[in-house]
Amino acid sequence: MEGAASGRQPGSAGAPALSVAGVSHSYGRRKALDDVSFDVPQGRFAVLLGLNGAGKSTLFSLITRLFAVTRGSISIFGFDVSRDPGEALRRLGVVFQARTLDLDLSVAQNLAYHAALHGVGAREAKARARDVLARVDMLDRIEDKARALSGGQMRRVEIARALLHRPRLLLLDEPTVGLDVKARADILAHVRGLVTREGLGVLWATHLIDEIEPGDQVVVLHRGKLLDCGTAEAVRLRAGAPDLTAAFRRLTGEGEPT
């Protein structure tokens, strides 16, 4: 993973799925992000690794325009989220850490509401809903109320919903928090499968090192600062550590993420 790219035309084949360039953000006097720069290439699984308070959720809020970018720039497939938010966000799907399904609506109704927000007609929305639910193995629950689903099933529906408007970049903020071991593994396998089969770019925010594979792109964020980025194996080697857990400890001076 290289530094933020420049000089590419928006939407071009060479543009990264996500480019973060010199981004800083503060809450009053507290600096949550300090000159953060990295790219997520198209069709790659990238991990934003950091402890609670590292700045992961702040960065996601900037990428999704919940917060305005005041220092630096963020672009999605070359489209700047501040100057061209419509084109940028049209290519983006998001799964936030907090559960966001309406528990009193069915799975189908939750997806239909999301489709309407993105200007997808009712007939097309039904077809797309069946397609995305099949992709996450949840088509058989399409008429069930959301409250009848397990935590892992809700997450899969949220991923399906994020895919409904056919984005090319998927952001997931701590998507396995509160799930059991099997549900965590299932969600991770589903998202990795989307990268492999469909060429989606993914930025997966987590504090759990066991969710990372040696070939994954890793961005190590700590107290708002970018400490290293590259494949997990490259990060390990640069830290002179026997494994990624030890590398994280050496980079941050903290204990292992839990």
Side-chain angles (χ1 to χ4, degrees):
M1 185 178 304
E2 299 175 357
S6 62
R8 298 187 180 102
Q9 292 299 313
S12 70
L18 174 69
S19 182
V20 177
V23 169
S24 297
H25 190 81
S26 297
Y27 300 104
R29 295 183 178 180
R30 182 176 72 84
K31 183 164 282 190
L33 294 172
D34 187 4
D35 194 24
V36 173
S37 298
F38 66 90
D39 286 351
V40 175
Q42 297 184 31
R44 292 298 303 272
F45 186 95
V47 179
L48 183 62
L49 176 65
L51 299 168
N52 293 336
K56 304 188 300 296
S57 292
T58 296
L59 181 58
F60 271 39
S61 294
L62 292 169
I63 296 170
T64 57
R65 284 184 55 80
L66 292 176
F67 300 157
V69 179
T70 56
R71 290 193 59 186
S73 65
I74 298 172
S75 61
I76 297 170
F77 289 92
F79 293 98
D80 189 284
V81 300
S82 297
R83 296 195 302 267
D84 204 351
E87 287 295 332
L89 298 183
R90 185 166 64 84
R91 293 163 169 80
L92 176 67
V94 185
V95 178
F96 288 106
Q97 182 174 346
R99 298 288 192 269
T100 55
L101 295 179
D102 187 321
L103 298 181
D104 293 321
L105 297 181
S106 70
V107 170
Q109 289 169 329
N110 270 281
L111 268 61
Y113 179 70
H114 179 84
L117 292 178
H118 284 271
V120 180
R123 180 178 296 180
E124 177 67 12
K126 287 182 180 179
R128 290 193 190 187
R130 294 186 66 84
D131 174 61
V132 294
L133 288 170
R135 286 155 67 187
V136 298
D137 295 333
M138 287 294 293
L139 183 55
D140 62 332
R141 306 300 297 271
I142 189 169
E143 298 301 334
D144 292 356
K145 290 286 183 70
R147 68 171 63 256
L149 305 178
S150 68
Q153 289 168 334
M154 286 187 189
R155 270 296 186 233
R156 281 195 268 170
V157 171
E158 287 174 334
I159 292 169
R161 183 181 59 183
L163 296 172
L164 196 63
H165 61 287
R166 297 175 177 167
R168 301 307 302 158
L169 171 66
L170 192 60
L171 304 186
L172 301 102
D173 187 6
E174 299 275 4
T176 61
V177 166
L179 302 183
D180 61 36
V181 173
K182 183 181 185 304
R184 281 180 55 205
D186 286 346
I187 294 299
L188 190 55
H190 279 298
V191 175
R192 289 187 182 279
L194 293 171
V195 175
T196 302
R197 295 189 305 270
E198 304 178 26
L200 288 184
V202 166
L203 183 60
W204 174 284
T206 188
H207 63 279
L208 301 169
I209 287 179
D210 64 357
E211 294 183 346
I212 302 172
E213 296 182 356
D216 289 342
Q217 302 286 339
V218 177
V219 179
V220 182
L221 193 64
H222 187 64
R223 297 181 182 176
K225 292 183 177 293
L226 182 70
L227 300 186
D228 201 357
C229 58
T231 65
E233 180 64 8
V235 169
R236 180 191 72 79
L237 290 172
R238 281 194 290 270
D243 53 40
L244 190 59
T245 297
F248 182 87
R249 288 172 174 165
R250 291 183 185 183
L251 285 167
T252 64
E254 302 275 1
E256 179 182 356
T258 57

